[in-house]
Amino acid sequence: IDDELSALHLVMCSMRTRRNRFSLIGRLPPEILYGLFPSGPTRTQIKLGWITITHVCSHWRQVALSGPTLWRTIIFHLGAEWAEEMLARSKS
């Protein structure tokens, strides 16, 4: 039963991805979609908006992770591992 549930879960994930591609925003080219994302946190107010963006759907996650804009401001209070990851993602 667990194997069948796992298989159904994979099918459902695939179907959700296909459904998302039919939405208007799901059909935007990555460079246009990326332009809609915020350019990163400001100095006075640190937000972790990239978490929200990367959890919308797999397409948004792929687009967000592929561009450097969200990662330009390195947030050190999350720890060295995250700081290093943000630095790598910023492509600096």
Side-chain angles (χ1 to χ4, degrees):
I1 290 178
D2 288 338
D3 289 342
E4 289 178 33
L5 287 172
S6 294
L8 285 172
H9 177 73
L10 292 175
V11 168
M12 288 181 61
C13 288
S14 175
M15 292 179 77
R16 285 188 194 109
T17 299
R18 288 176 46 207
R19 180 188 61 198
N20 288 344
R21 288 188 192 134
F22 289 111
S23 69
L24 291 176
I25 199 158
R27 289 185 272 164
L28 288 175
E31 56 275 4
I32 302 293
L33 179 61
Y34 193 77
L36 300 176
F37 296 162
S39 61
T42 64
R43 289 182 181 197
T44 57
Q45 182 181 24
I46 296 199
K47 291 185 178 182
L48 301 178
W50 52 267
I51 291 176
T52 302
I53 290 170
T54 59
H55 286 83
V56 171
C57 66
S58 60
H59 177 62
W60 281 42
R61 179 176 179 75
Q62 182 181 15
V63 170
L65 295 178
S66 69
T69 306
L70 291 174
W71 318 107
R72 286 186 183 154
T73 302
I74 309 302
I75 303 171
F76 292 97
H77 74 273
L78 296 176
E81 186 176 333
W82 271 109
E84 288 176 18
E85 185 64 31
M86 289 179 181
L87 185 60
R89 291 177 183 179
S90 72
K91 300 177 181 158
S92 298

